[in-house]
mmCIF file of all heavy atoms in Angstrom:
data_model
loop_
_atom_site.group_PDB
_atom_site.id
_atom_site.type_symbol
_atom_site.label_atom_id
_atom_site.label_comp_id
_atom_site.label_asym_id
_atom_site.label_seq_id
_atom_site.Cartn_x
_atom_site.Cartn_y
_atom_site.Cartn_z
ATOM 1 N N MET A 263 -10.628 -6.260 -0.190
ATOM 2 C CA MET A 263 -10.884 -5.050 0.586
ATOM 3 C C MET A 263 -12.339 -4.600 0.443
ATOM 4 O O MET A 263 -12.907 -3.988 1.359
ATOM 5 C CB MET A 263 -9.943 -3.935 0.111
ATOM 6 C CG MET A 263 -10.129 -2.582 0.759
ATOM 7 S SD MET A 263 -8.973 -1.349 0.092
ATOM 8 C CE MET A 263 -9.606 -1.131 -1.574
ATOM 9 N N LEU A 264 -12.962 -4.907 -0.688
ATOM 10 C CA LEU A 264 -14.331 -4.473 -0.957
ATOM 11 C C LEU A 264 -15.379 -5.397 -0.349
ATOM 12 O O LEU A 264 -16.564 -5.067 -0.369
ATOM 13 C CB LEU A 264 -14.560 -4.387 -2.474
ATOM 14 C CG LEU A 264 -13.547 -3.573 -3.273
ATOM 15 C CD1 LEU A 264 -13.930 -3.556 -4.743
ATOM 16 C CD2 LEU A 264 -13.424 -2.164 -2.740
ATOM 17 N N GLU A 265 -14.953 -6.537 0.164
ATOM 18 C CA GLU A 265 -15.887 -7.499 0.716
ATOM 19 C C GLU A 265 -16.079 -7.268 2.216
ATOM 20 O O GLU A 265 -15.418 -6.415 2.815
ATOM 21 C CB GLU A 265 -15.385 -8.925 0.456
ATOM 22 C CG GLU A 265 -15.276 -9.257 -1.029
ATOM 23 C CD GLU A 265 -14.744 -10.654 -1.264
ATOM 24 O OE1 GLU A 265 -14.544 -11.396 -0.275
ATOM 25 O OE2 GLU A 265 -14.511 -11.007 -2.433
ATOM 26 N N ILE A 266 -16.986 -8.014 2.810
ATOM 27 C CA ILE A 266 -17.239 -7.894 4.243
ATOM 28 C C ILE A 266 -17.118 -9.265 4.901
ATOM 29 O O ILE A 266 -17.327 -10.293 4.262
ATOM 30 C CB ILE A 266 -18.638 -7.314 4.543
ATOM 31 C CG1 ILE A 266 -19.734 -8.218 3.942
ATOM 32 C CG2 ILE A 266 -18.767 -5.895 4.045
ATOM 33 C CD1 ILE A 266 -21.136 -7.810 4.333
ATOM 34 N N GLY A 267 -16.761 -9.252 6.167
ATOM 35 C CA GLY A 267 -16.770 -10.478 6.943
ATOM 36 C C GLY A 267 -15.556 -11.356 6.727
ATOM 37 O O GLY A 267 -14.775 -11.197 5.778
ATOM 38 N N HIS A 268 -15.404 -12.303 7.621
ATOM 39 C CA HIS A 268 -14.295 -13.250 7.577
ATOM 40 C C HIS A 268 -14.646 -14.430 6.672
ATOM 41 O O HIS A 268 -15.780 -14.905 6.665
ATOM 42 C CB HIS A 268 -13.996 -13.761 8.992
ATOM 43 C CG HIS A 268 -12.962 -14.842 9.029
ATOM 44 N ND1 HIS A 268 -11.615 -14.579 8.877
ATOM 45 C CD2 HIS A 268 -13.080 -16.193 9.175
ATOM 46 C CE1 HIS A 268 -10.948 -15.731 8.938
ATOM 47 N NE2 HIS A 268 -11.799 -16.716 9.128
ATOM 48 N N ARG A 269 -13.668 -14.875 5.889
ATOM 49 C CA ARG A 269 -13.819 -16.071 5.069
ATOM 50 C C ARG A 269 -12.655 -16.990 5.351
ATOM 51 O O ARG A 269 -11.487 -16.563 5.313
ATOM 52 C CB ARG A 269 -13.848 -15.724 3.575
ATOM 53 C CG ARG A 269 -15.108 -15.013 3.117
ATOM 54 C CD ARG A 269 -14.965 -14.505 1.687
ATOM 55 N NE ARG A 269 -14.717 -15.582 0.734
ATOM 56 C CZ ARG A 269 -14.418 -15.388 -0.544
ATOM 57 N NH1 ARG A 269 -14.331 -14.146 -1.002
ATOM 58 N NH2 ARG A 269 -14.200 -16.398 -1.347
ATOM 59 N N ASP A 270 -12.963 -18.238 5.645
ATOM 60 C CA ASP A 270 -11.901 -19.210 5.914
ATOM 61 C C ASP A 270 -10.974 -19.327 4.715
ATOM 62 O O ASP A 270 -11.414 -19.341 3.562
ATOM 63 C CB ASP A 270 -12.507 -20.581 6.239
ATOM 64 C CG ASP A 270 -13.245 -20.571 7.579
ATOM 65 O OD1 ASP A 270 -12.940 -19.696 8.410
ATOM 66 O OD2 ASP A 270 -14.130 -21.435 7.771
ATOM 67 N N ALA A 271 -9.665 -19.411 5.014
ATOM 68 C CA ALA A 271 -8.621 -19.566 3.995
ATOM 69 C C ALA A 271 -8.421 -18.306 3.152
ATOM 70 O O ALA A 271 -7.760 -18.353 2.118
ATOM 71 C CB ALA A 271 -8.909 -20.763 3.087
ATOM 72 N N PHE A 272 -9.003 -17.159 3.572
ATOM 73 C CA PHE A 272 -8.801 -15.895 2.875
ATOM 74 C C PHE A 272 -8.362 -14.840 3.883
ATOM 75 O O PHE A 272 -8.705 -14.909 5.067
ATOM 76 C CB PHE A 272 -10.088 -15.425 2.182
ATOM 77 C CG PHE A 272 -10.438 -16.193 0.948
ATOM 78 C CD1 PHE A 272 -11.208 -17.351 1.024
ATOM 79 C CD2 PHE A 272 -9.995 -15.781 -0.299
ATOM 80 C CE1 PHE A 272 -11.538 -18.065 -0.107
ATOM 81 C CE2 PHE A 272 -10.324 -16.495 -1.435
ATOM 82 C CZ PHE A 272 -11.098 -17.646 -1.344
ATOM 83 N N ILE A 273 -7.614 -13.856 3.403
ATOM 84 C CA ILE A 273 -7.245 -12.747 4.267
ATOM 85 C C ILE A 273 -8.486 -11.918 4.575
ATOM 86 O O ILE A 273 -9.438 -11.898 3.804
ATOM 87 C CB ILE A 273 -6.157 -11.854 3.608
ATOM 88 C CG1 ILE A 273 -6.646 -11.341 2.239
ATOM 89 C CG2 ILE A 273 -4.848 -12.594 3.476
ATOM 90 C CD1 ILE A 273 -5.706 -10.369 1.578
ATOM 91 N N ASP A 274 -8.479 -11.216 5.704
ATOM 92 C CA ASP A 274 -9.602 -10.368 6.075
ATOM 93 C C ASP A 274 -9.604 -9.097 5.230
ATOM 94 O O ASP A 274 -8.560 -8.693 4.694
ATOM 95 C CB ASP A 274 -9.527 -10.014 7.559
ATOM 96 C CG ASP A 274 -9.872 -11.205 8.448
ATOM 97 O OD1 ASP A 274 -10.630 -12.071 7.990
ATOM 98 O OD2 ASP A 274 -9.376 -11.267 9.586
ATOM 99 N N PRO A 275 -10.759 -8.427 5.095
ATOM 100 C CA PRO A 275 -10.831 -7.208 4.277
ATOM 101 C C PRO A 275 -9.832 -6.128 4.693
ATOM 102 O O PRO A 275 -9.230 -5.480 3.831
ATOM 103 C CB PRO A 275 -12.278 -6.750 4.486
ATOM 104 C CG PRO A 275 -13.033 -8.007 4.748
ATOM 105 C CD PRO A 275 -12.094 -8.869 5.539
#
Side-chain angles (χ1 to χ4, degrees):
M263 177 181 69
L264 308 181
E265 298 178 5
I266 60 173
H268 174 76
R269 289 171 60 187
D270 292 338
F272 286 88
I273 57 175
D274 287 332

